[in-house]
Amino acid sequence: MVQIESDVYSEIGLVMLIGLTAKNAILIVEFAKDEYEKGKPLVDATLAGARLRLRPILMTSFAFIFGNVPLWVASGSGSVARQVIGTVVIGGMLAATVFGIFLIPRSFIWSRNGPAPAKNAALPNCR
């Protein structure tokens, strides 16, 4: 396997990841916001936006991941630099896609409503 070091190549990979993850988040939030402004309830609008953009997000993410596989399995002269950037980008995009699909819609709801109260939270005595 590849030994990952924090160098210029891994930082370039992280910058690419930040850009693609932000693009995915913008797509989900944009469609959810449009549905919410049309009058749908917040949760329904958010789920509709997430469902509508799931396929394009997965297609973009997997195309990006599979496009970087040659970097990940590189050999020969200068292969360590290619392996580092390939490993960072593939692992990071997998994690960003999985977490983003679940966390971005929830974050949109939180940004509109605030976090949901705990179910077993003690309520103040209102006498």
Side-chain angles (χ1 to χ4, degrees), residues 30-49:
E30 179 184 0
F31 279 87
K33 185 176 177 232
D34 287 344
E35 293 295 317
Y36 181 63
E37 289 175 349
K38 289 179 185 175
K40 268 191 175 180
L42 181 61
V43 174
D44 293 340
T46 305
L47 290 175

Side-chain angles (χ1 to χ4, degrees), residues 13-31 53 57 60-61 64 92-93 95-97 99-101 104-105:
L14 290 175
V15 169
M16 286 192 308
L17 284 173
I18 290 168
L20 279 172
T21 305
K23 178 195 72 79
N24 290 344
I26 290 168
L27 286 174
I28 292 173
V29 169
E30 179 184 0
F31 279 87
R53 302 313 301 169
I57 287 171
T60 302
S61 298
F64 184 72
M93 197 64 202
T97 301
F99 289 123
I101 288 171
I104 290 171

